[in-house]
Every structure is written in C-alpha cells, then in structure tokens.
Amino acid sequence: MESIVEGFKKVAIASIADAVDKVCGHRGYMSSNIKPRINEERICGPAATVLEAATDEFLPPQHALDLIDEAPRGSVIVISIESGQPDVAVWGGLMTAGAVANQHVGAVLDGAVRDLTEIRRDYGFPVYARDVSPGTTLGRYRTVASQVPVVVGGVIVHPGDIVVGDVDGVVVVPHQKAAEVLAMAQEIDLRELEQAKLIISEKSLRAGLAKYGRI
C-alpha cells in the first residue's frame, strides 16, 4: 500500500477521479464545498475516520483525539458530521498539533475548521473543510465512533481508503481497487500528455481529439 500511496502522489486529481468512475462504477470525488482552507498543499494517504453526531452534552471529541494519537503515521484524518454542519468547527489548533506530532498528512472535514491563523503560522498543516467557523462542537456534537465507514462531501469513506486532494478537489479511492485505479490514472495522465503535445505541434485541438478521443 505504501508504494500505491506514493504513486497517487504523482497523478493528477482529475485522472484519479476519472479512473474511479471507470474502475469502481461510481463517483469518488467529494462535493466542491470540501476545499483547502490552510494552504494549497496536496494530501495523499489512507483514511482514518471519525463519526460525529448531535448532542446537547458538553463532551470532548474523544474518538477524534484518540485516533490522532493511534492512527498509523501518514494517515488522512477524515471527520464526518451529521448533515455536514458548516457552522461547527470539528478541527482546530490543538488537534493540528497532535496530527503534526504523529506525522499525519492532512485532515478532511465535513464540518468547519477554526484557528486558521495559528495553523498557518505554526504548522502549515493541510486541512480540507466544508467551511471555517469559530464555533465549538461542545454542547452541539460528540464523536460516537472511529474507524467506521463515514460520508463526507457526498462520498463514502472506509478506513484505509486512499484520500487524495489538491486545489482541484478531494477524491476517495476504495482500498480494494487502489492498484487498479492507480494504473488507469497513470495511463490517463500519459495519454493526456501525449494528446497535449499533439495539439500544440498540430496547432489544432480537433486533431488531438480525433486521435485520442479524450476531453
């Protein structure tokens, strides 16, 4: 899996999305609301998941805190919150410090992130989130499980699925199909490079489309 993750780091997000469509027969890219909020750094790694649910109790996000310490190095922490609530921050500066200490590569949130100034200044840790908000989950949401299937940005994420994100968006690759998706994404990248060269040399978009049939 480590070599597969390394392969996905070098492939275009659009090629990965197209490959998931073809190999898996379903959409793998998240809603465009899930976007980079700290920087434009690319993320790529196996998902470590957390599920949150509504509550009126003042409880810490214990499952998330434990997972940050316990997930394998190089994980992408993925947090799902019921209804994708954009006005509650499920991630902040202290959780970022824990993620950096444990050498994780990023976070993807179906809620909001806060402490942007701190995260940008002290860590540069990439966080992809539905929104930005100063609001706490305390008294509003609680973590109910970790390392379970969750839905983020309209896509199901299983623990261990490969999560890849950059300024184009976030794509989830089912871990059972990861090698097949990577091979097809690499092929798509190569064909697009050849097609682009032909378009430039022939000074014709139609010539490239006629030969390769891809747009």
Side-chain angles (χ1 to χ4, degrees):
M1 185 58 73
E2 191 170 323
S3 64
I4 291 174
V5 170
E6 287 302 312
F8 276 116
K9 291 179 180 179
K10 303 168 186 173
V11 183
I13 291 288
S15 298
I16 300 171
D18 289 355
V20 171
D21 283 346
K22 293 177 180 178
V23 172
C24 303
H26 62 76
R27 166 179 161 174
Y29 61 93
M30 291 184 180
S31 162
S32 59
N33 304 73
I34 311 296
K35 61 182 65 177
R37 302 293 178 172
I38 303 300
N39 51 38
E40 296 186 350
E41 185 176 331
R42 186 181 178 107
I43 61 171
C44 183
T49 64
V50 176
L51 178 63
E52 301 216 5
T55 185
D56 56 6
E57 300 175 277
F58 280 73
L59 296 172
Q62 198 61 52
H63 288 281
L65 303 179
D66 292 341
L67 187 67
I68 288 170
D69 276 354
E70 295 168 4
R73 176 176 58 86
S75 295
V76 176
I77 308 299
V78 178
I79 300 180
S80 175
I81 187 169
E82 284 182 346
S83 73
Q85 174 57 255
D87 294 327
V88 176
V90 297
W91 191 272
L94 294 178
M95 295 172 79
T96 299
V100 170
N102 285 283
Q103 300 181 54
H104 299 313
V105 299
V108 176
L109 319 172
D110 211 19
V113 58
R114 66 181 186 176
D115 301 328
L116 266 65
T117 298
E118 176 186 344
I119 297 171
R120 288 170 176 165
R121 181 192 66 218
D122 297 340
Y123 307 108
F125 183 79
V127 179
Y128 289 64
R130 184 173 290 277
D131 216 323
V132 176
S133 171
T136 180
T137 57
L138 297 178
R140 298 184 178 98
Y141 284 86
R142 65 186 179 94
T143 58
V144 295
S146 64
Q147 297 296 50
V148 297
V150 297
V151 177
V152 175
V155 177
I156 297 176
V157 186
H158 294 84
D161 286 350
I162 306 300
V163 179
V164 191
D166 68 10
V167 292
D168 269 1
V170 180
V171 179
V172 179
V173 181
H175 62 272
Q176 305 97 324
K177 299 281 188 178
E180 191 176 351
V181 170
L182 176 59
M184 179 167 288
Q186 290 170 330
E187 180 183 347
I188 292 170
D189 263 11
L190 180 59
R191 288 176 63 82
E192 286 211 348
L193 177 61
E194 294 172 349
Q195 184 174 354
K197 288 179 178 178
L198 178 63
I199 291 168
I200 295 298
S201 66
E202 296 290 329
K203 297 182 174 59
S204 171
L205 174 59
R206 285 177 294 189
L209 298 179
K211 180 170 182 178
Y212 290 94
R214 177 170 173 79
I215 188 64

